[in-house]
Amino acid sequence: MKLNNRYYALLCGLTFVSLSCAQQTLEVLEPWVRIPPPGMNMLAGYGEFTNSSNSTIELVSAQSENFKSISFHISEIVDGISKMTKLESVLLRPGETARFEPGGKHLMISTPQYDERPEQVQIEFLSVSGKRYQVNFVFLNSEP
Amino acid sequence: MRIYHELNMKPLHLISVAITALLIGCYQSEEPVTTKTATIVNPPIPLAELSLVQHNGTAFDHTTLQGKWTLMFFGFTFCPDVCPTTLQLLALSLQKIEQSGIENAQVVFVSVDPERDTPERLEEYLAHFDEKFIGVTGELTDIESFTQSIGVVFAHNSLDESGFYAVDHTTVILMVNDKAELGGISSAPHKWEDIADDFMTVRAQ
Ligand SMILES: [Cu+2]
């Protein structure tokens, strides 16, 4: 039997299975997108992604109605040279945390679709198994 | 595919080589000066002649550097992660330097992507971080000859699906003295307080 999230939440609420309730998801701590300089169409998003479920989560894509496209990237310094590489997916084993931070893993966000920048934007992540996770990112000038 | 704008198509570490040589050759007899993270270049190395353009359209050459102490960083405005992060740090560093009474410090951002980074674009971009920042661009060949002369390398990546390309680039921050000579090098990962303190140490040399 497969329960969708809403039924599961309801079930948890009713039966006080709080432990398993709290452990059903992907948690993102301090999700933020860097406020871009004017005219800048490439943005970066950050946050601490933790898999608090009991199964592996492999994020394969991200999207938002506020942006044209979003992909996973990593900046690395190799021999003193900064390089940016696209990551095909982000794998999180149960309990594992991936830090997306300036100069490291980041969401590479292209082309805002809004006229006026909102305070926050929702980004939806899709896992390889078809699960969707919505996360609200706030706009900030620097790391919270 | 990455094309290195470099003589041998691969990154050479001219600066490291130069510094190592200098350290072995000249530094032994001197009293050690401690920096937090930066490497002091002693004696300073004169920068090669350069002829580039500032974001306000005026020439950028040795006269722009003479009489000033400069923090110089290389990057491109379409860089979403490393460049804005570093420029933000540099804004804080400059603030600290100025607050300690130094009036002739400047931050110079040299574009390694002159096709996209026009003077106008640089002006708009840099003002976001600090209106005093100087953006520098120019002919690709002129930028290449300048970066090659100081061991900074960059490589334009191929286009992605959306028509975007990234530019790999050296992440050092150069400290240039008031005679247009390289006096110090700060390597990533950068901390704004260390950059400011080391800059002042190099300046006090
Ligand atoms: Cu990126």
Side-chain angles (χ1 to χ4, degrees), chain A residues 87-121:
Chain A
L87 300 171
E88 290 312 321
S89 69
V90 174
L91 191 79
L92 291 162
R93 294 196 172 75
E96 198 181 344
T97 295
R99 250 184 91 77
F100 281 58
E101 59 189 340
K105 285 199 189 87
H106 56 274
L107 298 172
M108 179 89 157
I109 304 173
S110 162
T111 322
Q113 305 287 297
Y114 45 77
D115 293 326
E116 200 173 318
R117 191 182 64 237
E119 296 236 314
Q120 52 178 23
V121 285

Side-chain angles (χ1 to χ4, degrees), chain A residues 5-137:
Chain A
N5 288 343
R6 211 159 128 202
Y7 278 109
Y8 195 84
L10 187 67
L11 190 70
C12 291
L14 289 175
T15 55
F16 304 100
V17 196
S18 55
L19 187 72
S20 58
C21 274
Q23 296 188 335
Q24 279 315 301
T25 189
L26 172 78
E27 287 169 14
V28 185
L29 204 68
E30 295 182 330
W32 65 288
V33 171
R34 185 190 298 283
I35 294 174
M40 178 70 188
N41 275 340
M42 299 303 295
L43 293 74
Y46 310 98
E48 200 176 285
F49 289 64
T50 299
N51 176 2
S52 52
S53 77
N54 297 321
S55 47
T56 295
I57 297 175
E58 185 178 6
L59 300 175
V60 288
S61 67
Q63 58 183 33
S64 169
E65 59 177 26
N66 290 294
F67 304 105
K68 201 164 144 196
S69 69
I70 301 173
S71 52
F72 304 117
H73 267 223
I74 185 163
S75 297
E76 286 171 298
I77 296 171
V78 182
D79 296 332
I81 298 166
S82 158
K83 295 173 190 294
M84 220 166 47
T85 314
K86 191 177 173 184
L87 300 171
E88 290 312 321
S89 69
V90 174
L91 191 79
L92 291 162
R93 294 196 172 75
E96 198 181 344
T97 295
R99 250 184 91 77
F100 281 58
E101 59 189 340
K105 285 199 189 87
H106 56 274
L107 298 172
M108 179 89 157
I109 304 173
S110 162
T111 322
Q113 305 287 297
Y114 45 77
D115 293 326
E116 200 173 318
R117 191 182 64 237
E119 296 236 314
Q120 52 178 23
V121 285
Q122 189 179 76
I123 295 177
E124 184 178 68
F125 297 90
L126 183 70
S127 78
V128 71
S129 59
K131 279 194 182 137
R132 289 168 191 278
Y133 307 91
Q134 281 97 20
V135 182
N136 286 329
F137 284 70

